[in-house]
Amino acid sequence: MSESTRPKPPASPETHVIDYRAAEQLLAARDPRGAVKLLDSVIAAHPENTAARLLRARAFFAAAQLRPAELEFELVLEREPDNAFAHFALARTHERSGRPDQARKHFRLAAALDPQPEYLEAARFED
């Protein structure tokens, strides 16, 4: 049997951890598409893994794939409605998509959940 026709063994949990960490590195190295590719198999095996979904959402955003990023951020927020970073990132996604009213709502939720200076500035509560 040739190498290309030999069936691949199923990925182990350790493989998924390695792929997740490698995806973090790829995203940091500005290769969001490579990160998404690695995370696809992790999420296929562990669809409930919110951390992997959040990382994939960030990678989609970095690759300017705004609709997939939005869907992933929304899924994270369904599971973790108090995730300030996910609200902030979803707001940035809406902002980039030309939807300022939706962006403002999530900027304000992020700031209310975690009053970091960056979140507060983006929330523009005085407007």
Side-chain angles (χ1 to χ4, degrees), residues 82-123:
D82 60 345
N83 187 320
F85 175 79
H87 280 289
F88 182 77
L90 179 58
R92 287 277 184 234
T93 305
H94 287 316
E95 186 177 62
R96 226 169 138 183
S97 299
R99 292 178 283 168
D101 291 339
Q102 289 175 293
R104 184 175 298 113
K105 171 188 163 189
H106 287 282
F107 280 137
R108 290 181 174 183
L109 284 166
L113 289 165
D114 184 3
Q116 291 186 40
E118 182 181 16
Y119 296 177
L120 289 168
E121 182 180 331

Side-chain angles (χ1 to χ4, degrees), residues 35-67:
V36 167
K37 189 173 180 176
L38 282 176
L39 290 165
D40 285 344
S41 64
V42 174
I43 291 170
H46 305 282
E48 75 291 346
N49 188 316
T50 305
R53 287 193 175 276
L54 188 57
L55 186 59
R56 185 164 73 170
R58 290 177 47 219
F60 279 137
F61 182 85
Q65 295 179 14
L66 301 181
R67 185 63 182 147

